[in-house]
Amino acid sequence: MIVVCGEALIDLVPDDSSGQRWTAIPGGSPANAALAVARLGVPSALLARLSGDSFGRRLRGHLASNGVDLSLAIDAAEPSTLAIVELDETGAASYRFDIHGTADWQWSEAELSRALPPAVQAVHTGSMALTLPPGGFVLEGFLARAREGHTISIDPNIRPSLGVDVAVLKTMVDRWCGLADIVKASSEDVEVLYPGDELEAVARRWQALGPAVVLITLGAGGALAVTATAVHRLPAPPTVVVDTVAAGDTFTAGLLTSLHGAGALGGRLDDLSDDLLVEAIRYGLRAAAITCSRAGANPPYLSEMG
């Protein structure tokens, strides 16, 4: 099983360019990743704080109907988080958030004190749940404990609209690199943190802090991967982009499910072969391309992967 820890929220997506009608769609980077893992045929559980409000009930129904195990989820008294989505003329998504006092960030030590089930091989997290107080530091402590016997994957998923100081974000990401076996960021994340810096140089610096592999997704340009001994650049499959919602989450899910299928998860990845890594990256890129070819957070099913 792969456990994904973090937010599950509601995306408010415009129905058309008029901005007069909006559709409420289940989302959140970790929730999207958990759903994509399940659709790709690997047992998936979401460790999240889910509200009991109408949006929270919709999130539960959506995740459960897609095969995501919610037995680790916390029943939260706070309201669900809302993300207002804006799409530019290329289909690229940007977000602003209603996060004050909402369920996703209120983690307590007691809520994360339970041992993970024996079937869990990997934990993936990141995004806002790892960034925002008061729960971010609690999640970091959980990851430090979970490192024993589990592969840890982190996607910083930097959100400038949250207003967190860039210097603080840099320090956070450096700490997360010390907890992770896999760090996956986007070129947009790197540009926010280190504007103008060469992507490979940033990836090498992060890799030296601890992870076995650092991946930077490049949109239509594919992906860059840096390990202690190699650098890989792989192209993205050609696709007609409808929008990029959940593309990065689907890439991570594809990467992890491919590694799962190869028997590589369950601990440190220091001995991961280049061949297995490249195969996993290609699988993630293929899954992400399918997601980009259709509207919203709609990752592919295993049967669509060919």
Side-chain angles (χ1 to χ4, degrees), residues 140-222:
E140 286 191 29
F142 164 74
L143 292 177
R145 296 189 297 273
R147 292 195 77 204
E148 183 64 33
H150 304 100
T151 303
I152 305 298
S153 167
I154 294 179
D155 177 358
N157 200 14
I158 302 299
R159 301 293 194 188
S161 59
L162 296 177
V164 181
D165 185 79
V166 170
V168 173
L169 289 170
K170 288 180 181 179
T171 301
M172 285 181 174
V173 174
D174 284 355
R175 278 203 314 270
W176 300 343
C177 287
L179 295 171
D181 302 293
I182 300 169
V183 171
K184 174 265 165 190
S186 68
S187 56
E188 291 87 355
D189 295 333
V190 176
E191 180 62 23
V192 171
L193 296 175
Y194 297 100
D197 282 14
E198 207 274 328
L199 295 176
E200 184 177 325
V202 174
R204 285 184 180 277
R205 194 177 74 78
W206 283 345
Q207 194 278 323
L209 295 175
V213 57
V214 172
L215 298 125
I216 299 178
T217 53
L218 312 171

Side-chain angles (χ1 to χ4, degrees), residues 4 7-8 11 26 43 46 48 63-64 69 114 146 151 160 170 206 217 234 239 270 273 294 296 306:
V4 184
E7 68 265 21
D11 290 334
L46 182 65
L63 292 161
D69 183 341
R114 293 177 294 170
T151 303
K170 288 180 181 179
W206 283 345
T217 53
L234 284 86
T239 190
D270 298 323
S273 72
R294 50 206 194 191

Side-chain angles (χ1 to χ4, degrees), residues 178-300:
L179 295 171
D181 302 293
I182 300 169
V183 171
K184 174 265 165 190
S186 68
S187 56
E188 291 87 355
D189 295 333
V190 176
E191 180 62 23
V192 171
L193 296 175
Y194 297 100
D197 282 14
E198 207 274 328
L199 295 176
E200 184 177 325
V202 174
R204 285 184 180 277
R205 194 177 74 78
W206 283 345
Q207 194 278 323
L209 295 175
V213 57
V214 172
L215 298 125
I216 299 178
T217 53
L218 312 171
L224 163 72
V226 171
T227 70
T229 59
V231 176
H232 305 282
R233 293 178 182 270
L234 284 86
T239 190
V240 176
V241 175
V242 174
D243 67 47
T244 62
V245 176
D249 307 322
T250 305
F251 170 82
T252 300
L255 179 93
L256 292 175
T257 56
S258 180
L259 294 176
H260 174 277
L265 300 180
R268 308 287 73 81
L269 297 178
D270 298 323
D271 297 326
L272 181 66
S273 72
D274 286 347
D275 287 346
L276 285 183
L277 175 59
V278 167
E279 181 181 350
I281 295 169
R282 286 183 176 141
Y283 193 77
L285 288 169
R286 190 155 75 250
I290 294 172
T291 299
C292 289
S293 72
R294 50 206 194 191
N298 189 8

